[in-house]
Amino acid sequence: MSRTLIRGGLVITAVDEVHADVLVEDEKVVALAAAGSTVAEGWTADTVIDAAGKYVIPGGVDAHTHMELPFGGTFASDTFETGTRAAAWGGTTTIVDFAVQSVGESLRAGLDTWHAKAEGNCAVDYAFHMIVSDVDENSLKEMDLLVDEGVTSFKLFMAYPGVFYSDDGRILRAMQRGAANGGLVMMHAENGIAIDVLVEQALAAGRTDPRHHGEVRRELLEAEATHRAIRLAEVAGAPLYVVHVSAEQAVAELATARDRGLNVFAETCPQYLFLSTDNLAEPDFEGAKYVCSTPLRPKDHQAALWKGLRTNDLQVVSTDHCPFCFVGQKELGRGDFSKIPNGLPGVENRMDLLHQAVVDGHISRRRWIEIACATPARMFGLYPRKGTIAPGADADIVIYDPGAEQVVSAATHHMNVDYSAYEGKRLRGKARTVISRGTVVVDRDRYLGRAGHGRYQTRETCQYLV
Ligand SMILES: [Zn+2]
């Protein structure tokens, strides 16, 4: 047995901030004791980590990543190996990625494919949601089996006709199944049928630059789809989790539903909090770096997102990490914005960007941990193994230096992508030491982890229902 003692830090969870020493045995947290107490002073350990002046926080839980995702004739540029290593550098110790059912294929075949991609390659722990592209009798039955084996959330798309798209009838059926088996439906809420009309019209009129990607994916079509998803979930008697919310009008739909007491939840992402259509409009095709769906919105939407995070109308910040290199990948869409692969890198930056939000006064320290660690773990059935620091929890712990200064750059990041969406941004705070199930994987500027340390995590059903 190995014992690690983290001494002298401020332990911050979603509920508490306490000066405590943390004792780890092998892969688990076994005890916390008041700093300086006779209990804490009496502890001995093989490794003592000095955390004086630092925060001791749970490892981040990023509930929305797409490593190696096939999209638009290419693949997301981070593999499970490079993406989870970058996650570790950024203080994230669990990812929940999306296995994909292709049309005409079973859920099982898609899930097996994703297990094969990830197994033996991850630096930190990982789990899967299942993307359901083909709702039929078989896939509905398979949903039950997947819930039983720990894949307890299913993503459907109101966007991308001909690829991932499900019509309202299929969505309703999947939600009814989720209501019965405990599976949580996650929704990409954009009216893809209407958007495709606007895309066609824009291209025909010669509006081909990246900024038109944002213009055709209208805010109203996000709000409309969000509203429809909420109503369908209500009819099915099912909870709902809306992914990557970006429009103020969509937040309003969520707030209304929650005021009515519904189990309706949602995430936003750092790109919607820190970037805007100004980035999409950058000249010389640079805007392509910021093409994702839902799209970036005008800056004035950001206030509604921050407010939603404060009032709990938005519960989670995930990255939707889905990187494509500018050279050779984003460039596929020169002259036609609809051919730009959709997605942004961010798995390494999320914890630090949200800490900057603490520094800037948008959220409290405890809320930072809640939206980045505790609630995503609860939402997707990983709590309290993940998302907190408590006796019995996995020892996924970050010693975080709140005073460190960093400048975000592709030159120094660890994601396998040739640009940073936050190039040149100054941030206060940085993970100093990152521990994954009791093993130090990052210490100061050294990577000590290895591919294959990360372990697949089965999940309970949603632990966040009211
Ligand atoms: Zn996504």
Side-chain angles (χ1 to χ4, degrees):
M1 188 190 70
S2 89
R3 291 181 121 204
T4 303
L5 176 55
I6 301 166
R7 189 145 254 173
L10 177 65
V11 177
I12 306 174
T13 66
V15 286
D16 288 313
E17 300 189 359
V18 290
H19 288 281
D21 294 357
V22 180
L23 186 62
V24 172
E25 285 183 1
D26 293 332
E27 299 192 343
K28 300 277 185 189
V29 174
V30 293
L32 278 72
S37 65
T38 52
V39 172
E41 295 298 316
W43 284 342
T44 56
D46 310 295
T47 308
V48 178
I49 297 175
D50 177 14
K54 308 291 187 289
Y55 299 159
V56 179
I57 61 173
V61 178
D62 190 339
H64 191 154
T65 68
H66 297 284
M67 308 304 173
E68 307 179 33
L69 179 76
F71 190 98
T74 186
F75 285 83
S77 58
D78 261 320
T79 62
F80 279 89
E81 180 171 355
T82 63
T84 55
R85 189 166 60 211
W89 274 105
T92 286
T93 52
T94 306
I95 62 162
V96 191
D97 203 272
F98 288 84
V100 179
Q101 176 204 25
S102 304
V103 174
E105 185 187 58
S106 65
L107 298 185
R108 168 62 53 199
L111 184 59
D112 286 350
T113 301
W114 257 259
H115 271 299
K117 289 177 199 247
E119 196 177 350
N121 292 322
C122 291
V124 296
D125 289 350
Y126 63 100
F128 291 122
H129 310 286
M130 188 81 224
I131 288 177
V132 184
S133 314
D134 199 355
V135 177
D136 62 13
E137 274 312 308
N138 274 335
S139 45
L140 289 168
K141 279 189 199 128
E142 283 190 291
M143 283 174 69
D144 298 352
L145 302 174
L146 261 56
V147 170
D148 287 343
E149 70 175 62
V151 177
T152 56
S153 41
F154 301 90
K155 186 180 182 188
L156 286 96
F157 290 76
M158 302 169 110
Y160 303 128
V163 188
F164 297 124
Y165 173 81
S166 291
D167 66 24
D168 291 352
R170 288 176 166 216
I171 289 167
L172 183 64
R173 282 183 201 280
M175 286 173 164
Q176 288 171 331
R177 201 72 177 206
N181 66 24
L184 177 62
V185 169
M186 309 170 75
M187 190 62 72
H188 180 132
E190 283 187 296
N191 187 327
I193 301 281
I195 285 169
D196 275 11
V197 172
L198 299 180
V199 169
E200 195 187 303
Q201 291 169 348
L203 293 175
R207 299 195 303 270
T208 61
D209 289 343
R211 69 188 163 91
H212 298 294
H213 168 86
E215 286 169 12
V216 297
R217 304 188 84 90
R218 299 273 300 270
E219 296 149 14
L220 289 177
L221 296 176
E222 183 188 349
E224 182 276 329
T226 303
H227 178 85
R228 187 156 35 100
I230 290 166
R231 291 305 199 187
L232 290 169
E234 197 174 358
V235 167
L240 172 69
Y241 180 94
V242 182
V243 295
H244 51 55
V245 173
S246 68
E248 179 174 11
Q249 297 92 327
V251 179
E253 295 290 348
L254 294 160
T256 302
R258 291 182 56 77
D259 287 348
R260 293 171 51 237
L262 298 175
N263 274 312
V264 168
F265 315 112
E267 67 181 19
T268 188
C269 310
Q271 53 269 34
Y272 308 121
L273 295 164
F274 291 93
L275 304 172
S276 73
T277 46
D278 295 352
N279 300 99
L280 268 176
E282 286 177 15
D284 302 327
F285 198 64
E286 292 278 310
K289 294 176 177 176
Y290 307 95
V291 165
C292 57
S293 297
T294 59
L296 302 184
R297 302 297 183 190
K299 261 205 178 82
D300 57 3
H301 288 250
Q302 292 173 356
L305 298 176
W306 288 119
K307 177 175 172 244
L309 285 172
R310 284 194 297 273
T311 59
N312 209 38
D313 286 324
L314 300 170
Q315 296 79 32
V316 172
V317 176
S318 306
T319 56
D320 197 3
H321 176 78
C322 192
F324 296 98
C325 287
F326 183 73
V327 176
Q329 292 195 296
K330 290 288 189 181
E331 283 181 334
L332 293 169
R334 272 193 198 274
D336 179 352
F337 68 82
S338 73
K339 296 204 164 58
I340 301 169
N342 284 205
L344 255 63
V347 74
E348 187 172 351
N349 307 123
R350 183 185 66 129
M351 294 299 287
D352 294 333
L353 288 165
L354 292 176
H355 179 262
Q356 185 62 42
V358 174
V359 173
D360 293 343
H362 289 296
I363 51 172
S364 69
R365 289 190 293 209
R366 277 175 289 129
R367 187 62 177 161
W368 169 44
I369 301 307
E370 192 167 23
I371 63 180
C373 311
T375 300
R378 275 208 166 95
M379 191 69 70
F380 298 108
L382 289 162
Y383 197 87
R385 197 178 351 140
K386 306 298 187 188
T388 193
I389 297 175
D394 280 358
D396 291 355
I397 297 173
V398 176
I399 317 301
Y400 197 85
D401 181 353
E405 304 264 357
Q406 60 168 316
V407 179
V408 181
S409 175
T412 49
H413 75 197
H414 303 86
M415 299 176 286
N416 184 40
V417 59
D418 63 359
Y419 74 96
S420 171
Y422 308 97
E423 186 69 36
K425 189 168 177 61
R426 287 178 179 280
L427 298 178
R428 189 124 54 86
K430 192 177 194 319
R432 191 201 65 180
T433 306
V434 180
I435 302 169
S436 165
R437 274 184 293 104
T439 300
V440 174
V441 292
V442 173
D443 190 40
R444 295 176 174 85
D445 294 319
R446 281 180 310 153
Y447 179 70
L448 304 171
R450 63 175 177 84
H453 166 80
R455 200 179 283 161
Y456 173 67
Q457 304 289 310
T458 59
R459 298 184 288 114
E460 307 292 317
T461 56
C462 179
Q463 299 163 319
Y464 202 76
L465 304 181
V466 293

